[in-house]
Amino acid sequence: MRSRALMTRAGRAVVTVLTAALVLSGCAGIPREGGVRAGQPDIIDESPAQVFLPSRPQKDASAQSILLGFVDAASSPESNYAIAREFLTSDFSSSWDPTAGVTVDDGAGRVATEIDAQNIEVTLTPTAEVSARGEFREVDPIPVTLDYQFRQVDGQWRISAAPNGTVIDETTFNDVFSASSLTFSTPDSARSCLTCAGSRVGHPLPRRSSTPC
């Protein structure tokens, strides 16, 4: 059994693009009924957005290199996480659900342990998470272990089982997600603010729960 630090890949290609306003679907806490009143015009977010171009699987890569590449590639939801899915077996690729949630960590404390040739455990310490409903919350820094299984396909290692959702370090999370604020009236007529974080590459997710304005 071998353990080693699992770091995010350096030298990831980054392209700067301009994006329009984020579609704020899935934000928890937004009223679903009641009177409707005209609001302010939509604000277009013209700030530069980071689009990550992760590397594809390399020929004859070790299982641990495939794991590192997969975690790195899962930060890019382009074309329904097409590059990340290249690290998976074909049958698991169709069932893996990257939208099940996001685990955010500092990226520095990840440790990969080879259980055997076909199983690797990754231990990390989350700092925050985004649920499948899109609710962001900070969490206690308690280490968790994620299990990954591997199988060779045409002589190349691929991931055959892994947790749903994605693992993203804090720096990448802040680059990939941008915040937008909503203000609405609660049932008791008090104003409430909701700050939502939408992915700059097309996957809106709230960043914080609603709080009084």
Side-chain angles (χ1 to χ4, degrees), residues 99-104 128-137 173 177 205-207:
T99 65
V102 181
T103 298
V104 184
E129 64 183 18
V130 181
S131 73
R133 294 179 56 194
E135 297 168 332
F136 174 92
R137 70 185 184 99
F173 183 80
F177 294 88
L205 289 170
R207 183 65 177 279

Side-chain angles (χ1 to χ4, degrees), residues 74-162:
S75 67
S76 174
E78 291 287 337
S79 303
N80 191 24
Y81 296 84
I83 295 180
R85 294 182 191 277
E86 293 182 16
F87 291 85
L88 312 177
T89 59
S90 58
D91 54 342
F92 181 54
S93 174
S94 62
S95 62
W96 175 61
D97 181 9
T99 65
V102 181
T103 298
V104 184
D105 72 338
D106 63 10
R110 299 176 187 173
V111 176
T113 301
E114 290 186 12
I115 305 303
D116 53 43
Q118 295 180 304
N119 292 272
I120 296 179
E121 291 182 347
V122 175
T123 301
L124 54 86
T125 303
T127 58
E129 64 183 18
V130 181
S131 73
R133 294 179 56 194
E135 297 168 332
F136 174 92
R137 70 185 184 99
E138 295 180 348
V139 298
D140 294 332
I142 300 174
V144 299
T145 298
L146 307 177
D147 298 321
Y148 297 84
Q149 297 178 16
F150 297 80
R151 188 173 74 228
Q152 286 203 334
V153 178
D154 297 329
Q156 304 297 313
W157 286 111
R158 291 295 182 266
I159 298 172
S160 58

